[in-house]
Amino acid sequence: MAKVVETSVNENATVEAPVEATASANAVNPMEKDTKVVFLPLDDTHKRPLFVCVNGRSLRVPRGKNVEVPKEFAEAIRNSMEQEAEAIRYSDSVAYEAEG
């Protein structure tokens, strides 16, 4: 039977994940080839570490410091940030059209 780690999602709920499936971003071998350094800003809306899962491998990337991650995780993070920025631009453009 797999060991289970309990991760708090909010004050009232918890999510259980197998220990093998979730690793800290700091646990990634920095000598591993094909790694990239990513920086996730720490702000009012984004305070918790970012959970990233690629092809069944997952890790939590801390915010507010440079972290070395495998390139596939860096690509997923970059894509996520680009999509979030595009969603904000679209939302703002629709809001301005409705007002004017």
Side-chain angles (χ1 to χ4, degrees):
M1 186 162 175
K3 294 182 182 178
V4 175
V5 173
E6 197 168 292
T7 305
S8 178
V9 175
N10 62 31
E11 294 178 355
N12 300 325
T14 59
V15 175
E16 295 181 358
V19 173
E20 301 83 20
T22 307
S24 169
N26 297 332
V28 174
N29 183 2
M31 301 304 287
E32 180 180 335
K33 291 184 180 181
D34 300 329
T35 60
K36 302 265 182 174
V37 175
V38 296
F39 178 82
L40 297 174
L42 181 65
D43 58 23
D44 291 337
T45 58
H46 300 98
K47 294 180 181 180
R48 295 185 180 176
L50 178 67
F51 177 80
V52 184
C53 185
V54 176
N55 293 333
R57 294 175 53 206
S58 61
L59 43 91
R60 285 179 228 133
V61 181
R63 295 181 181 273
K65 58 184 173 179
N66 289 325
V67 180
E68 191 169 3
V69 297
K71 70 177 183 177
E72 59 269 14
F73 287 94
E75 181 180 356
I77 292 167
R78 190 191 80 239
N79 290 342
S80 172
M81 292 175 82
E82 287 176 2
Q83 286 296 321
E84 185 176 1
E86 183 61 32
I88 291 169
R89 279 192 292 273
Y90 177 77
S91 176
D92 287 347
S93 72
V94 171
Y96 292 134
E97 288 176 7
E99 290 176 2

